[in-house]
């Protein structure tokens, strides 16, 4: 099954400093058909104005992955962590039994990012945070794990950031006319693909930048770039 979820059909909330689109039910947006996709609970497409952001707020029992598309985001949390994550790079916060954090765009330009929440395998535990650079050149023509709990993914180029859930977050860049194939370990897995940029064909389904594509019951899936494209894929239980 491959289901296209056009960008125009996503939930929307514009707060002035934040222009957000929601692939799944979030805050005041609720769609009973789009509450989650397996363990994938949230995929927000955020545009954050310069010198603005999310003030300190709490989370618990959630794996929160931030993929920065343009600009940069600055993170601070109650564990004493502070870091700036730039375009193409990734940060992971395991909320565990509870953590408070803030996320600000301290840049002079708009920051755009995907924030992805995945339900953890177990509740509680110590919270944690980490960030890592993932050069886009290393992802040319193939999917590279960015955050994962799968065996051996921490041995990939630069190593995937660890997450506490049966899931992988992967990135790829492919040139127009090129294809990349992804094979989940089991067809029952829940895959969710979003082109950050470009236009692609997923098997016979065409998708443009920031559309969502929900995939399951596929032995493998082949993505062909109709334009130069940057891809983000979640493979979840």
């Amino acid at each position: 099954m491959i289901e296209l979820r056009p960008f125009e059909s996503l939930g929307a909330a514009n707060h002035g400093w934040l222009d957000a689109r929601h692939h799944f039910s979030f805050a005041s947006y609720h769609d009973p058909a789009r509450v989650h996709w397996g363990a994938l609970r949230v995929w927000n497409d955020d545009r954050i104005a310069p010198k603005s952001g999310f003030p300190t707020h709490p989370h618990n029992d959630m794996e929160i992955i931030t993929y920065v598309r343009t600009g940069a985001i600055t993170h601070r949390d109650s564990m004493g962590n502070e870091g700036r994550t730039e375009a193409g790079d990734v940060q992971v916060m395991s909320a565990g039994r509870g953590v408070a954090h803030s996320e600000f765009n301290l840049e002079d330009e708009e920051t755009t990012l995907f924030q992805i929440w995945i339900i953890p395998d177990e509740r509680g535990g110590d919270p944690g945070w980490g960030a890592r650079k993932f050069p886009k050149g290393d992802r040319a023509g193939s999917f590279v794990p960015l955050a994962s709990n799968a065996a051996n993914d921490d041995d990939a180029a630069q190593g995937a950031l660890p997450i506490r859930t049966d899931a992988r977050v992967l990135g790829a860049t492919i040139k127009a006319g090129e294809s990349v194939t992804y094979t989940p370990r089991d067809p029952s897995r829940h895959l969710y693909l979003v082109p950050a940029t470009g236009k692609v064909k997923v098997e016979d389904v065409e998708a443009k930048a920031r559309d969502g594509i929900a995939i399951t019951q596929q032995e493998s899936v082949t993505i062909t770039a109709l334009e130069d494209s940057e891809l983000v894929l979640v493979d979840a239980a």
Side-chain angles (χ1 to χ4, degrees):
M1 187 209 84
I2 301 174
E3 178 193 346
L4 176 66
R5 299 181 176 182
F7 178 76
E8 295 78 12
S9 74
L10 305 181
N14 193 330
H15 303 283
W17 65 272
L18 170 67
D19 184 3
R21 294 292 181 124
H22 308 307
H23 286 260
F24 300 95
S25 296
F26 188 84
S28 59
Y29 165 65
H30 181 72
D31 181 342
R34 297 184 182 179
V35 175
H36 62 91
W37 186 241
L40 175 59
R41 177 61 188 84
V42 168
W43 191 311
N44 287 345
D45 180 325
D46 292 342
R47 304 175 70 94
I48 305 169
K51 310 300 182 183
S52 66
F54 301 91
T56 301
H57 58 284
H59 291 283
N60 65 281
D61 294 321
M62 195 64 68
E63 299 298 292
I64 300 174
I65 301 99
T66 304
Y67 181 96
V68 181
R69 297 173 52 224
T70 63
I73 198 75
T74 297
H75 167 99
R76 296 186 179 94
D77 64 42
S78 55
M79 298 175 286
N81 297 306
E82 181 173 341
R84 178 177 176 273
T85 304
E86 299 179 351
D89 299 335
V90 177
Q91 68 173 15
V92 168
M93 187 173 73
S94 295
R97 66 173 61 91
V99 64
H101 77 131
S102 64
E103 303 284 343
F104 278 93
N105 173 15
L106 302 179
E107 314 304 311
D108 293 325
E109 61 179 332
E110 180 182 73
T111 288
T112 66
L113 55 82
F114 294 146
Q115 189 172 98
I116 298 164
W117 296 12
I118 308 176
I119 300 167
D121 291 341
E122 297 180 0
R123 297 173 62 87
D126 293 337
W129 177 83
R132 190 162 295 162
K133 291 185 177 298
F134 289 96
K136 290 186 180 180
D138 292 350
R139 299 176 243 163
S142 63
F143 279 109
V144 169
L146 309 175
S148 175
N149 82 336
N152 301 322
D153 276 355
D154 58 353
D155 296 329
Q158 299 196 48
L161 289 161
I163 50 177
R164 305 171 189 175
T165 181
D166 182 8
R168 308 173 80 201
V169 180
L170 307 106
T173 58
I174 49 176
K175 296 289 188 181
E178 295 180 350
S179 296
V180 60
T181 297
Y182 182 76
T183 303
R185 70 171 188 264
D186 188 278
S188 66
R189 302 285 293 179
H190 294 80
L191 311 184
Y192 200 83
L193 175 72
V194 180
T197 61
K199 185 177 181 181
V200 299
K201 179 178 284 190
V202 184
E203 299 297 343
D204 294 324
V205 177
E206 288 192 11
K208 64 184 183 305
R210 303 164 72 192
D211 287 349
I213 306 100
I215 305 161
T216 192
Q217 301 303 322
Q218 295 282 129
E219 295 283 349
S220 65
V221 60
T222 296
I223 301 103
T224 301
L226 304 177
E227 303 171 352
D228 291 356
S229 299
E230 177 184 352
L231 310 176
V232 181
L233 172 70
V234 169
D235 172 345

